[in-house]
Amino acid sequence: MALLEPEEIPAPSPKSVQTGKGAAKAAAKPTGKASPKPTEKASPKPAREPSEKRAPKSVRVHPDAREMANRQREISVSEFFSKNRHLLGFDNPAKALLTTIKEAVDNSLDACEEAGILPDLRIEIVELSETRYRVVVEDNGPGIVRQQVPRVFGSLLYGSKFHRLRQSRGQQGIGISAAGMYGQLTTGKPIIIRSKIDANKPAHHFEIQIDTNRNMPVVGVDKEVEWDVDHGTRVELELEATYKRGKRSVDGYMEQTALANPHARIVYKAPKDPEMVFERATNELPKEPMEIKPHPHGIELGMLMRMLKDTTSRNVKAFLTTEFSRVSAKAAEDILKAAKVDESTSPSRVHRDSAEKLYQAINATKLMAPPTNCLSPIGEDQLLAGMRTQFQADFYTANSRGPQVYRGNPFLIEVGLAWNVKEMPGDDLAELYRFANRVPLLYQQSACAVTKGVISTSWKSYGVQQSRGALPTGALVIMVHIASVWVPFTSESKEAIAHYPEIIKEIRLAIQECGRRLGIYVRRGQREAMELKKLSYIEKYIPHIGIALKEILKLSDQQEKDVVATLRDTLERSRNL
Ligand SMILES: Nc1ncnc2c1ncn2[C@@H]1O[C@H](COP(=O)(O)OP(=O)(O)OP(=O)(O)O)[C@@H](O)[C@H]1O
Ligand SMILES: [Mg+2]
């Protein structure tokens, strides 16, 4: 076979051009006619091993390490998320609208609760065109100090909640700045903020964009304005979006938010609809969740080493007792003895090997479970009250479980059920409402640990139909709430909860408790239905008995009527018995 000169090798089609590993493989494995086969005749040089072979220069000029180094540079977090906006919940226009409102509302509710203020929220969606909307979210919270406004709204991963262990809706420091960035990317417009922190001080008006290359705010307008409120924050932004109705819409989100936050008053104005008001169902703020220190059983070795480096404690014993929860002086002594580390050692002098021993000793030492005053459940009464206002049903039940721990993080599960819900067809799947720290989760239901917990419960034992691997069937609403200092979401868009076995187990236990109560109700109902069926069957024959008796005993019409009435009466009384 004649060999082709490099110039004669047919140029690869764009599709077949490969780079990286694939290209290396392709170069190493010549195939087909056009592949040059090294022979001594054609090449006086010793033949190379196939793996050493390089593609001829005219096909592809590969960069060397120096050229590659020229292209290597840092990626700012804003650049990353503007390319990966789906990770933040901005993957389609309908979801973008919901995510934007959700982020702003979460922040408003968090801020009000932290400042001890009963939340008063106003949410408005204005349709500018079929694909463009303006969103305004206003709260009566504490406001934001002027210096902080640009960073809060104009840089990603900047917030007050990430570094502390305390139950809140937000945790990552991305939410509202990501919404602002999405608005900016799709409309070119800045996010507009008005904030007031004191009745005697003027409000501030800001217009902010994000410099995505540097993940830094660019302040367009910063001025004082009059605002007729004592304190609060108003966030306004324009974005490319679509407004849809339905369960997974902003309307559905608002209803569910009101359900899980009975202490909030929410005014919601959707495009073309009159204002909707969700009145406060209680004037009591939820129990304030306390901030806690990490529990030593939940940390990993790398984190322990970093904490040893960062601490201000003078010795390792003080480090253990002050930086962690549930480590008493006695427990610290036991840990240090087991790890063979002297208690007066400075934390910065505990190197890797000793840190590993310390880590092992911590995990081998019995410690009290983490404190649970960091959690603020909705509570059974509030769950029931909320469900009663939202659904007309025959039976309601709720169960709030005690706190448990996953990876050192306290969490608790609450479940509510409403059975025989009017307006729900009885032969469809049940409706599942998922909440994390009082925030409704509307997307990624099938990927969520909550769904797994519900599906893996045997509903048939409670008299409720269920097909394998599916939600139960019936006019049933299942509400599941997880409260935690750190909710383990499967992604930054905070849509589904990761499958921690401890969490799934608690969900199932809470459902089982509610299920048992539902089972009693359903079975009682089934018994009564059977009785009724029998009675109606007998009732059908009463007039015929009357006619027969009339003929046999020669009764008058009146006597026949009396006999029928007596029989009916007896039947009715037997039913009451
Ligand atoms: N309406 C508001 N009132 C007071 N403070 C606010 C308000 N909105 C945002 N903040 C402050 O701005 C910070 C950043 O908000 P952002 O939504 O970006 O992150 P986050 O709420 O901390 O976490 P997540 O990304 O999970 O939402 C918050 O941590 C909070 O301190
Ligand atoms: Mg937030």
Side-chain angles (χ1 to χ4, degrees):
M1 185 175 62
L3 275 176
L4 295 170
E5 288 300 320
E7 289 78 15
E8 292 176 69
I9 295 171
S13 69
K15 261 192 189 166
S16 67
V17 172
Q18 283 178 297
T19 53
K21 274 189 190 168
K25 263 195 198 160
K29 208 169 93 187
T31 50
K33 275 186 195 168
S35 310
K37 208 177 183 180
T39 64
E40 276 172 26
K41 198 178 159 198
S43 158
K45 287 181 205 161
R48 279 183 183 171
E49 285 298 311
S51 59
E52 286 176 34
K53 227 181 248 172
R54 290 185 179 236
K57 274 196 171 164
S58 60
V59 177
R60 177 100 165 76
V61 181
H62 292 280
D64 64 9
R66 268 178 286 267
E67 283 169 74
M68 284 165 81
N70 285 339
R71 290 184 214 141
Q72 289 157 352
R73 64 187 177 96
E74 200 177 323
I75 300 147
S76 100
V77 57
S78 329
E79 279 179 305
F80 174 81
F81 280 115
S82 61
K83 264 198 178 174
N84 288 301
R85 58 172 81 151
H86 52 277
L87 294 178
L88 295 173
F90 294 95
D91 38 350
N92 68 58
K95 209 165 147 190
L97 185 68
L98 172 72
T99 304
T100 300
I101 290 177
K102 186 164 159 300
E103 293 302 343
V105 169
D106 283 3
N107 284 351
S108 292
L109 291 171
D110 270 349
C112 288
E113 284 167 23
E114 195 173 344
I117 300 165
L118 274 171
D120 245 315
L121 266 55
R122 188 171 195 287
I123 296 109
E124 185 172 6
I125 307 172
V126 184
E127 185 178 294
L128 303 172
S129 77
E130 238 174 61
T131 56
R132 191 177 280 205
Y133 289 82
R134 180 186 303 129
V135 167
V136 184
V137 176
E138 192 177 316
D139 66 54
N140 63 336
I144 305 167
V145 293
R146 187 174 164 228
Q147 302 88 293
Q148 286 299 94
V149 174
R151 300 288 314 257
V152 159
F153 293 93
S155 49
L156 261 58
L157 292 181
Y158 191 88
S160 54
K161 305 166 201 170
F162 184 85
H163 290 104
R164 62 181 194 193
L165 282 179
R166 183 180 189 271
Q167 179 184 329
S168 58
R169 295 166 183 79
Q171 51 189 33
Q172 300 167 159
I174 306 184
I176 197 63
S177 32
M181 188 170 76
Y182 175 81
Q184 176 183 325
L185 282 172
T186 53
T187 69
K189 299 221 170 157
I191 184 167
I192 302 173
I193 299 105
R194 194 190 294 165
S195 170
K196 187 166 172 178
I197 60 168
D198 196 315
N200 304 319
K201 288 196 171 141
H204 283 274
H205 169 105
F206 278 91
E207 294 184 15
I208 295 169
Q209 298 224 341
I210 300 185
D211 172 351
T212 46
N213 289 337
R214 295 187 307 131
N215 186 35
M216 289 294 281
V218 179
V219 179
V221 180
D222 167 3
K223 62 179 183 192
E224 286 185 2
V225 285
E226 279 300 309
W227 192 18
D228 191 18
V229 299
D230 285 353
H231 44 77
T233 304
R234 180 183 186 277
V235 178
E236 175 182 335
L237 62 113
E238 257 179 51
L239 70 159
E240 207 161 81
T242 40
Y243 168 75
K244 285 196 180 135
R245 293 178 198 276
K247 196 188 155 204
R248 287 195 314 181
S249 64
V250 183
D251 300 10
Y253 162 79
M254 281 334 313
E255 277 167 21
Q256 292 190 36
T257 302
L259 179 64
N261 297 275
H263 60 290
R265 180 177 190 272
I266 303 177
V267 179
Y268 169 52
K269 168 85 184 73
K272 298 177 190 148
D273 281 348
E275 249 178 29
M276 254 174 103
V277 183
F278 299 93
E279 289 295 350
R280 243 187 275 289
T282 166
N283 281 328
E284 250 177 67
L285 273 166
K287 192 188 94 189
E288 192 185 349
M290 294 295 146
E291 185 175 344
I292 59 160
K293 300 251 168 66
H295 191 272
H297 285 172
I299 60 155
E300 278 136 3
L301 177 59
M303 188 175 159
L304 177 67
M305 287 168 67
R306 208 198 65 213
M307 288 173 76
L308 282 162
K309 210 166 139 241
D310 294 348
T311 184
T312 51
S313 303
R314 304 253 299 269
N315 62 56
V316 70
K317 183 179 171 190
F319 164 74
L320 287 173
T321 52
T322 53
E323 300 282 339
F324 294 103
S325 62
R326 301 305 204 205
V327 183
S328 60
K330 166 84 176 62
E333 281 161 20
D334 291 348
I335 291 169
L336 292 167
K337 211 164 125 199
K340 297 197 174 65
V341 174
D342 192 86
E343 61 177 61
S344 59
T345 315
S346 158
S348 60
R349 299 186 73 89
V350 179
H351 299 302
R352 215 208 72 91
D353 288 351
S354 308
E356 184 150 9
K357 286 200 189 105
L358 199 58
Y359 173 73
Q360 281 160 0
I362 285 174
N363 282 305
T365 307
K366 260 197 137 202
L367 296 168
M368 270 174 82
T372 49
N373 53 3
C374 52
L375 298 178
S376 170
I378 300 175
E380 289 175 7
D381 292 348
Q382 292 294 345
L383 270 173
L384 289 171
M387 284 194 302
R388 283 205 168 94
T389 50
Q390 297 256 342
F391 315 109
Q392 279 260 324
D394 285 349
F395 176 80
Y396 306 86
T397 184
N399 181 228
S400 216
R401 300 234 353 128
Q404 293 292 328
V405 182
Y406 83 90
R407 250 184 48 205
N409 295 316
F411 76 96
L412 67 77
I413 299 290
E414 298 178 284
V415 166
L417 300 182
W419 174 249
N420 264 347
V421 181
K422 313 289 174 252
E423 301 129 31
M424 266 182 88
D427 48 2
D428 266 4
L429 292 183
E431 273 188 24
L432 175 59
Y433 287 66
R434 298 170 293 138
F435 297 86
N437 288 352
R438 294 171 189 264
V439 180
L441 310 179
L442 301 190
Y443 282 89
Q444 301 257 359
Q445 179 165 302
S446 53
C448 188
V450 169
T451 316
K452 172 104 193 276
V454 174
I455 286 176
S456 61
T457 303
S458 169
W459 288 85
K460 281 193 181 145
S461 13
Y462 314 125
V464 180
Q465 293 297 311
Q466 184 186 22
S467 308
R468 254 180 89 122
L471 289 173
T473 306
L476 172 68
V477 169
I478 308 163
M479 187 174 160
V480 180
H481 177 226
I482 171 171
S484 181
V485 290
W486 187 263
V487 180
F489 289 112
T490 55
S491 103
E492 295 82 349
S493 55
K494 302 188 280 187
E495 289 163 346
I497 293 156
H499 288 50
Y500 280 93
E502 301 89 332
I503 295 179
I504 296 176
K505 182 178 160 206
E506 278 300 303
I507 293 171
R508 294 186 55 190
L509 288 171
I511 295 174
Q512 281 164 8
E513 180 58 41
C514 291
R516 273 190 286 275
R517 295 180 209 153
L518 175 65
I520 294 169
Y521 178 84
V522 170
R523 283 201 201 92
R524 196 193 315 146
Q526 281 169 350
R527 263 203 316 275
E528 278 173 9
M530 190 70 101
E531 283 295 305
L532 272 177
K533 207 168 155 192
K534 273 192 226 157
L535 291 178
S536 66
Y537 196 64
I538 299 171
E539 203 173 14
K540 226 162 70 186
Y541 288 98
I542 289 177
H544 299 281
I545 298 170
I547 294 167
L549 287 175
K550 186 182 173 193
E551 272 180 30
I552 298 165
L553 303 174
K554 307 270 180 284
L555 301 180
S556 67
D557 285 354
Q558 187 53 46
Q559 281 172 316
E560 183 203 342
K561 269 189 198 159
D562 290 347
V563 167
V564 168
T566 314
L567 284 173
R568 282 220 166 96
D569 190 41
T570 314
L571 193 66
E572 195 57 37
R573 265 189 286 131
S574 77
R575 181 158 110 179
N576 293 340
L577 289 173

